[in-house]
């Protein structure tokens, strides 16, 4: 086994303009012994410290590449299992094990699905789960589809637009419909850096898509959402 932990500012903070990525954590007190714990993991438990990208990205990069190798070989030596608790991982390819739920290891890749659990919460897998995150948001990472408007919008709004999608084209059309509903016209806002700039539905969609998307390689470029939609 091995671990990842992150250090310093990450690239998502640089590309966030409307709300500061994870800016809602700025006033939180860091655990007193956090740095000591990281040092201990590095020395004794095969932990690597990553910078610029997040530890989550390092995990998804390894999971994606190992899964591609496993598909070719079908060998147990290539079967890397990603142990996690963060819901972001449900959108990536790999062999996944949620250490909180203790569900059996699931092997997943593809377009995916969305559904509601017994409590009415949205659950999902694959690229469709990523689309849902983009169209709803993530309170812990401090981004949301309605981050620059006053309209009420939540995960059920996203779910209702995406639940019947069976192709990537349909899912992107749902993203467009949702963001055009929230931002029907251009507007000027003040961002978290106190600068003023003009936004529209595509601007907010572009930003949130890249805040939500987990990396498959360390040098993976920012997704140009407009070119994807055009294609």
């Amino acid at each position: 086994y091995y671990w990842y932990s992150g250090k310093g500012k990450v690239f998502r903070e640089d590309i966030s303009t409307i709300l500061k990525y994870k800016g809602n954590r700025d006033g939180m007190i860091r655990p007193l012994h956090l740095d000591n714990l990281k040092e201990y993991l590095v020395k004794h438990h095969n932990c690597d410290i990553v910078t610029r990208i997040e530890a989550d990205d390092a995990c998804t990069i390894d999971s994606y590449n190992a899964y591609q190798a496993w598909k070719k070989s079908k060998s147990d030596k290539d079967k890397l299992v990603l142990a996690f608790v963060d819901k972001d991982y449900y959108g990536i390819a790999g062999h996944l094990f949620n250490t909180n739920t203790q569900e059996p290891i699931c092997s997943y890749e593809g377009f995916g699905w969305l559904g509601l659990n017994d409590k009415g919460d949205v659950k999902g897998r694959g690229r469709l789960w990523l689309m849902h995150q983009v169209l709803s948001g993530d309170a812990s990472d401090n981004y949301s589809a309605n981050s620059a408007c006053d309209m009420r919008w939540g995960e059920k709004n996203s779910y209702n637009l995406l639940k019947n999608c069976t192709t990537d084209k349909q899912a992107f059309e749902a993203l467009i419909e949702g963001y055009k509903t929230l931002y029907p016209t251009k507007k000027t806002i003040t961002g978290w850096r106190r600068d003023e700039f003009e936004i529209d539905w595509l601007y907010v969609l572009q930003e949130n898509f890249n805040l939500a998307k987990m990396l498959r390689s360390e040098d993976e470029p920012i997704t140009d959402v407009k070119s994807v939609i055009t294609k």
Side-chain angles (χ1 to χ4, degrees):
Y1 67 89
Y2 63 94
W3 309 69
Y4 284 114
S5 186
K7 181 179 181 181
K9 186 173 72 170
V10 298
F11 77 94
R12 288 184 181 88
E13 181 179 327
D14 291 332
I15 66 174
S16 66
T17 63
I18 301 168
L19 300 177
K20 183 180 179 182
Y21 183 68
K22 295 188 177 180
N24 52 342
R25 307 183 189 185
D26 284 349
M28 297 174 64
I29 299 174
R30 287 169 56 86
L32 182 61
H33 295 293
L34 181 60
D35 291 337
N36 302 88
L37 289 170
K38 289 187 178 185
E39 183 180 352
Y40 176 82
L41 290 174
V42 169
K43 287 184 176 180
H44 301 289
H45 289 283
N46 303 318
C47 180
D48 285 335
I49 303 295
V50 296
T51 58
R52 196 190 70 82
I53 65 171
E54 298 183 64
D56 291 343
D57 292 309
C59 289
T60 60
I61 291 167
D62 286 0
S63 179
Y64 174 80
N65 289 312
Y67 193 75
Q68 306 314 307
W70 175 82
K71 285 197 303 182
K72 294 177 181 179
S73 69
K74 298 296 182 180
S75 170
D76 283 346
K77 70 181 179 63
D78 293 320
K79 192 172 183 179
L80 176 75
V81 176
L82 173 58
F84 70 98
V85 296
D86 196 310
K87 63 184 182 298
D88 291 345
Y89 293 119
Y90 285 125
I92 68 167
H95 304 288
L96 310 177
F97 177 66
N98 189 317
T99 59
N100 273 357
T101 64
Q102 296 287 302
E103 297 168 314
I105 295 170
C106 65
S107 303
Y108 203 82
E109 182 181 48
F111 178 71
W113 53 269
L114 288 179
L116 300 176
N117 65 10
D118 294 339
K119 298 179 180 179
D121 299 323
V122 182
K123 301 295 181 182
R125 294 285 190 280
R127 294 191 298 276
L128 194 58
W129 175 249
L130 167 63
M131 300 294 190
H132 170 64
Q133 290 181 292
V134 174
L135 193 50
S136 55
D138 189 328
S140 64
D141 287 340
N142 203 36
Y143 69 86
S144 64
N146 63 341
S147 59
C149 75
D150 297 326
M151 186 178 297
R152 291 175 60 87
W153 189 269
E155 66 168 16
K156 292 296 176 59
N157 298 94
S158 169
Y159 173 74
N160 288 331
L161 286 174
L162 291 167
K163 63 182 179 181
N164 295 321
C165 295
T166 58
T167 66
D168 291 285
K169 181 175 183 292
Q170 291 174 352
F172 269 101
E173 288 170 346
L175 291 186
I176 293 170
E177 181 181 348
Y179 274 86
K180 282 188 173 181
T181 299
L182 293 167
Y183 307 97
T185 59
K186 294 182 178 181
K187 60 189 297 187
T188 299
I189 68 166
T190 300
W192 70 267
R193 296 183 180 87
R194 310 314 301 166
D195 52 340
E196 287 192 355
F197 50 92
E198 187 177 75
I199 65 167
D200 59 10
W201 66 269
L202 181 59
Y203 183 101
V204 188
L205 171 56
Q206 165 82 20
E207 180 164 316
N208 286 344
F209 191 93
N210 284 287
L211 294 178
K213 182 190 71 174
M214 306 301 295
L215 299 183
R216 293 178 297 179
S217 66
E218 190 166 349
D219 58 352
E220 183 175 349
I222 298 297
T223 300
D224 183 350
V225 175
K226 183 178 181 179
S227 68
V228 175
I229 292 172
T230 301
K231 181 179 178 181

